[in-house]
């Protein structure tokens, strides 16, 4: 088959610092992952130490890590293909069609949990993940590069209407980074949707469990701090997979092409940087009082409540605005025919879901104490990510809804934190 030579309508927008950003980020971020993991395991765990505690190159490669990464992606692909759970339709695409997606992520998580229990029962040393973490990260980074190259090349065979609006500028480096094709598939297997919530997200909690087991090996039992970090992050991942259908209306699925940005984010960044707290606790044990633990659990609970309620309210409203749980809410009309909520959670701030997410992020770091900045990496990075994401979303909404969006912004002036931002 010949590549599609159609003259694509090139997008002009340059996000993430344009071509320069798209050239530097794929080099800088993988190195950041390896740097953070190395610092986290060093006794000082200080980002200020110089020279940085970089491992010898020989410690970056282990064939077992490659086998584990390939085996893991194969296992998750197999679970994705299992004919269990319902099949849902995505939003209407530019050619008027709708793609079908299996909603079986929670099943995949549950089956994985059973398999892990069997592994533990058989005495497999899950704590060895701690020793293997750098080679595992190197392999995951390698897979995300290979996948992005495959996606970039294959996108030239995709029809015009299947290309993303943002990753089609004609600049190869930028398009490789942003992703040319919106929903690349092999048959019915949707590569972006699969990567979004499966190997990386489930991998994250498996790595966390590995750190917990390492702590058990070293000290006989898991610490309260380790249990909290594992419990909170497991709740977050379980929630994402339980509400998997909601991902079909997110910016990643609806708007962004599938390129290096998402492939690396899903497969390497999430599993290896979101769980830094558990890794930190293996080398830097912390003791928590019952009162401190109760305060942290309360903070996570409040964050989770705001996050879940606001996300569910908008999803319900977008799926069926006449549903009794949302039909009483005040809305404003837009020229597109869609309405915007101006009361309820979405009348509180313009991104209540981000606020809840940030409170949870803080609760995940607090069990690591206040003496090191490294376990707070996630909350700092996530604040920057959400501020940037909010700005991107705002731009898209203003383009979509025009004056109605300005009216919404006047009615609900704060973006994420009431009276502050
Ligand atoms: P959101 O769920 O915030 O969705 C934004 C969209 O919602 C807008 O584009 C618009 O789309 C719609 N919308 C905005 N305001 C209103 C309103 N007032 N009434 C009705 N619809 C409205 O997008 P995200 O994908 O950014 O976030 C989803 C969740 O994922 C969040 O909780 C976020 O915190 C989390 N997240 C987590 C990440 C992580 O790494 N842990 C990374 C990114 C996100 P439209 O009108 O077209 O429906």
């Amino acid at each position: 088959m010949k590549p599609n030579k159609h003259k694509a309508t090139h997008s002009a927008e340059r996000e993430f610092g344009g071509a320069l950003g798209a050239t530097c980020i794929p080099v800088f971020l993988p190195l950041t992952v390896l740097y953070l993991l190395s610092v986290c395991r060093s006794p000082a765990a200080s980002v200020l130490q110089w020279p940085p505690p970089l491992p010898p190159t020989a410690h970056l490669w282990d064939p077992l890590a490659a086998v584990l990464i390939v085996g893991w992606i194969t296992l998750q692909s197999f679970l994705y293909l299992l004919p269990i759970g319902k099949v849902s339709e995505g939003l209407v695409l530019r050619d008027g069609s709708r793609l079908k997606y299996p909603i079986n992520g929670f099943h995949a998580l549950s089956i994985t949990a059973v398999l892990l229990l069997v592994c533990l029962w058989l005495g497999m040393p899950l704590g060895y993940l701690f020793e293997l973490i750098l080679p595992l990260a190197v392999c995951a980074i390698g897979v995300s590069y290979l996948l992005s190259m495959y996606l970039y090349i294959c996108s030239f065979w995709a029809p015009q209407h299947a290309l993303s609006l943002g990753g089609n500028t004609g600049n190869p480096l930028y398009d490789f980074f942003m992703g040319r094709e919106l929903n690349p598939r092999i048959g019915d297997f949707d590569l972006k949707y699969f990567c979004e919530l499966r190997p990386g997200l489930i991998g994250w909690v498996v790595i966390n469990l590995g750190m917990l087991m390492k702590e058990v090996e070293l000290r006989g039992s898991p610490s309260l701090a380790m249990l909290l970090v594992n419990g909170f992050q497991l709740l977050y991942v379980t929630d994402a997979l339980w509400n998997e259908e909601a991902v079909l209306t997110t910016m990643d699925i609806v708007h962004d092409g599938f390129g290096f940005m998402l492939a690396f984010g899903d497969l390497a960044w999430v599993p290896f940087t979101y769980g830094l707290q558990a890794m930190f606790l293996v080398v830097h044990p912390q003791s928590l009082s019952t009162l401190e633990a109760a305060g942290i659990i309360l903070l996570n609970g409040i964050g989770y409540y705001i996050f879940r309620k606001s996300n569910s309210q908008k999803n319900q409203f977008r799926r069926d605005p006449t549903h009794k749980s949302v039909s009483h809410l005040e809305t404003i009309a837009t020229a597109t025919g869609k309405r915007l909520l101006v009361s309820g959670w979405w009348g509180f701030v313009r991104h209540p879901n981000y606020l809840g997410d940030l409170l949870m992020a803080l609760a995940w770091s607090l069990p690591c104490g206040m003496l090191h900045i490294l376990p707070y990496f996630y909350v700092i990075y996530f604040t920057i990510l959400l501020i940037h994401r909010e700005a991107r979303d705002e731009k898209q909404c203003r383009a979509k809804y025009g004056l109605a969006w300005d009216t919404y912004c006047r009615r609900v002036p704060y973006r994420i934190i009431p009276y502050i931002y």
Side-chain angles (χ1 to χ4, degrees):
M1 205 166 60
K2 283 192 172 154
N4 195 332
K5 287 271 172 57
H6 55 68
K7 266 277 164 238
T9 324
H10 284 180
S11 43
E13 277 295 325
R14 298 284 169 100
E15 297 182 284
F16 297 94
L20 183 65
T23 312
C24 298
I25 295 173
V27 178
F28 176 70
L29 284 191
L31 291 177
T32 306
V33 172
L34 300 179
Y35 169 76
L36 289 170
L37 291 173
S38 307
V39 176
C40 194
R41 289 149 46 106
S42 70
S46 166
V47 285
L48 296 177
Q49 55 190 312
W50 192 262
L54 296 180
T57 14
H59 289 191
L60 293 175
W61 170 249
D62 189 322
L64 175 61
V67 171
L68 286 177
I69 291 284
V70 172
W72 177 250
I73 294 175
T74 310
L75 169 70
Q76 292 306 322
S77 308
F78 170 73
L79 297 177
Y80 175 94
L81 290 170
L82 285 182
I84 44 176
K86 67 173 179 175
V87 172
S88 201
E89 286 192 325
L91 297 185
V92 180
L93 299 173
R94 291 209 301 283
D95 68 345
S97 67
R98 295 174 78 159
L99 292 171
K100 289 190 163 50
Y101 298 88
I103 308 294
N104 61 8
F106 184 73
H107 300 86
L109 176 70
S110 310
I111 297 171
T112 306
V114 172
L115 293 175
L116 281 173
L117 287 176
V118 173
C119 289
L120 287 174
W121 182 68
L122 291 174
M124 288 196 187
L126 216 60
Y128 191 59
L129 288 180
F130 177 78
E131 270 79 31
L132 217 53
I133 204 75
L134 282 168
L136 283 170
V138 167
C139 292
I141 292 166
V143 169
S144 60
Y145 262 110
L146 290 176
L147 176 61
S148 321
M149 285 177 205
Y150 166 84
L151 292 167
Y152 181 73
I153 293 167
C154 288
S155 70
F156 288 95
W157 277 265
Q160 162 85 61
H161 63 77
L163 298 182
S164 76
L165 292 178
N168 178 25
T169 60
N171 178 323
L173 285 175
Y174 184 78
D175 294 349
F176 166 82
F177 176 74
M178 292 298 287
R180 289 189 83 238
E181 198 174 344
L182 190 58
N183 302 299
R185 289 186 159 207
I186 300 174
D188 283 341
F189 193 102
D190 192 294
L191 293 164
K192 181 167 70 168
Y193 174 72
F194 168 72
C195 288
E196 189 80 4
L197 292 186
R198 311 291 180 103
L201 213 61
I202 304 177
W204 166 22
V205 288
V206 174
I207 291 173
N208 274 353
L209 179 63
M211 301 307 121
L212 186 146
M213 294 311 295
K214 182 70 190 174
E215 215 188 31
V216 173
E217 264 175 44
L218 292 174
R219 303 185 192 102
S221 63
S223 63
L224 180 55
M226 180 66 93
L227 288 171
L228 289 188
V229 167
N230 265 259
F232 292 161
Q233 298 185 351
L234 180 61
L235 170 71
Y236 191 72
V237 169
T238 307
D239 176 275
L241 291 164
W242 181 259
N243 295 289
E244 191 179 22
E245 207 171 351
V247 84
L248 298 179
T249 58
T250 59
M251 211 195 291
D252 292 2
I253 296 290
V254 176
H255 177 266
D256 293 335
F258 194 28
F260 183 82
M261 176 181 73
L262 284 181
F264 170 78
D266 293 341
L267 300 178
W269 186 258
V270 168
F272 293 97
T273 65
Y274 282 25
L276 281 177
Q277 299 92 341
M279 227 165 292
F280 172 87
L281 288 172
V282 173
V283 187
H284 310 88
Q286 305 287 321
S287 58
L288 281 182
S289 71
T290 317
L291 195 64
E292 285 167 336
I296 295 172
I297 292 171
L298 182 68
L299 180 65
N300 194 67
I302 294 172
Y304 180 70
Y305 182 78
I306 298 175
F307 163 85
R308 175 69 3 251
K309 286 284 178 190
S310 55
N311 274 323
S312 297
Q313 190 170 70
K314 177 168 66 71
N315 290 336
Q316 186 58 61
F317 180 70
R318 279 286 173 253
R319 290 208 168 259
D320 176 14
T322 62
H323 191 272
K324 65 176 182 338
S325 63
V326 288
S327 57
H328 64 285
L329 294 172
E330 195 188 341
T331 59
I332 48 175
T334 74
T336 65
K338 269 175 156 183
R339 303 185 74 86
L340 289 168
L341 290 163
V342 282
S343 72
W345 287 105
W346 297 79
F348 176 52
V349 283
R350 297 207 294 274
H351 270 288
N353 49 354
Y354 289 1
L355 174 64
D357 227 335
L358 284 171
L359 292 178
M360 282 192 283
L362 182 61
W364 300 351
S365 301
L366 287 171
C368 299
M370 304 288 232
L371 292 180
H372 290 86
I373 189 98
L374 195 83
Y376 290 81
F377 170 78
Y378 176 71
V379 66
I380 296 167
Y381 145 80
F382 199 44
T383 306
I384 297 168
L385 177 133
L386 289 182
I387 288 175
H388 178 245
R389 200 172 166 93
E390 194 277 335
R392 289 182 76 208
D393 189 52
E394 178 111 359
K395 212 170 178 184
Q396 285 165 24
C397 286
R398 181 156 287 115
K400 238 184 319 188
Y401 300 126
L403 287 176
W405 186 257
D406 292 332
T407 310
Y408 176 51
C409 293
R410 276 196 301 278
R411 288 282 302 268
V412 186
Y414 292 99
R415 295 171 164 98
I416 301 177
I417 307 174
Y419 304 107
I420 295 180
Y421 180 73

